[in-house]
Amino acid sequence: IPAEIEGLPVTSIANNAFYGATKLEKITIPEGVETIGDNAFYNCTSLSEINLPNTLKKIQWKSFQKCISLNEIDLPESIAYIGSYAFSECAEIKKITFPKKVERIPENVCYKCLSLEEVVIENGASEIAEAAFEHCLSLSKIYIPLSVTSVDTLSVHNAFYYCPSITDVYYAGTE
């Protein structure tokens, strides 16, 4: 993705920009981009590497859903908003760290991330929403900061619904 188009800076990736681009394997998003739109990389099944800029503030709804080859996602500290289903069904992601500016871990953000083993939420988030990590079959370690005051445990599909491998939950540094 270029930093400029016809002399104008690229500041966002449009909704559906690369939707279903099944041959896309690697992408570098340039500095200056602040938003990745809804479904921007939805179902990019060969996407295995993505480099996000330090200017990125928002990852919208289903931005990376079904990127089944993506095995690592390094979220920059600048991110303040992540939409529902943003990384759902990214079957190869093993670890995800939510930066401190993300105030809410949304619904189904990592739904069916089958290889996800570890979730780190940095101090700043206050809520983990319904089904945030539903069906993360390999999830075994979760780090929850003191700032989290609400974890959905009441709905039918609570925040950690059907995560049979959870063995370690660290809340504010304690197990």
Side-chain angles (χ1 to χ4, degrees):
I1 296 175
E4 291 184 351
I5 296 176
E6 296 181 3
L8 298 173
V10 173
T11 59
S12 66
I13 308 300
N15 294 348
N16 307 306
F18 297 94
Y19 186 106
T22 58
K23 294 185 180 185
L24 182 64
E25 295 178 2
K26 178 181 176 181
I27 189 126
T28 298
I29 298 175
E31 294 297 324
V33 171
E34 296 181 356
T35 303
I36 297 175
D38 295 347
N39 298 304
F41 296 95
Y42 182 94
N43 205 34
C44 291
T45 56
S46 297
L47 184 62
S48 62
E49 185 179 336
I50 185 152
N51 297 302
L52 300 173
N54 291 321
T55 54
L56 189 62
K57 295 177 182 174
K58 293 181 182 179
I59 296 176
Q60 302 287 44
W61 183 69
K62 296 186 177 185
S63 291
F64 295 97
Q65 184 174 7
K66 294 189 177 184
C67 291
I68 60 173
S69 298
L70 190 61
N71 58 26
E72 185 178 339
I73 188 83
D74 186 17
L75 299 174
E77 289 295 321
S78 56
I79 292 180
Y81 175 82
I82 298 174
S84 298
Y85 294 90
F87 304 105
S88 66
E89 299 178 83
C90 291
E92 295 301 316
I93 291 178
K94 294 187 179 15
K95 178 181 178 181
I96 191 165
T97 299
F98 293 92
K100 62 185 173 187
K101 290 183 182 178
V102 176
E103 295 178 6
R104 181 175 186 270
I105 310 304
E107 295 86 355
N108 300 94
V109 69
C110 289
Y111 169 76
K112 281 193 177 177
C113 288
L114 301 176
S115 297
L116 185 64
E117 297 172 353
E118 185 174 339
V119 170
V120 177
I121 301 169
E122 293 184 354
N123 200 39
S126 62
E127 177 186 0
I128 302 173
E130 177 181 354
F133 302 99
E134 180 179 345
H135 277 84
C136 291
L137 302 179
S138 300
L139 182 58
S140 61
K141 290 183 183 178
I142 307 158
Y143 296 85
I144 301 173
L146 195 56
S147 60
V148 171
T149 58
S150 175
V151 177
D152 184 305
T153 58
L154 300 176
S155 64
V156 173
H157 296 276
N158 66 56
F160 299 99
Y161 179 77
Y162 200 66
C163 294
S165 299
I166 293 176
T167 57
D168 299 311
V169 177
Y170 299 93
Y171 180 66
T174 62
E175 191 169 359

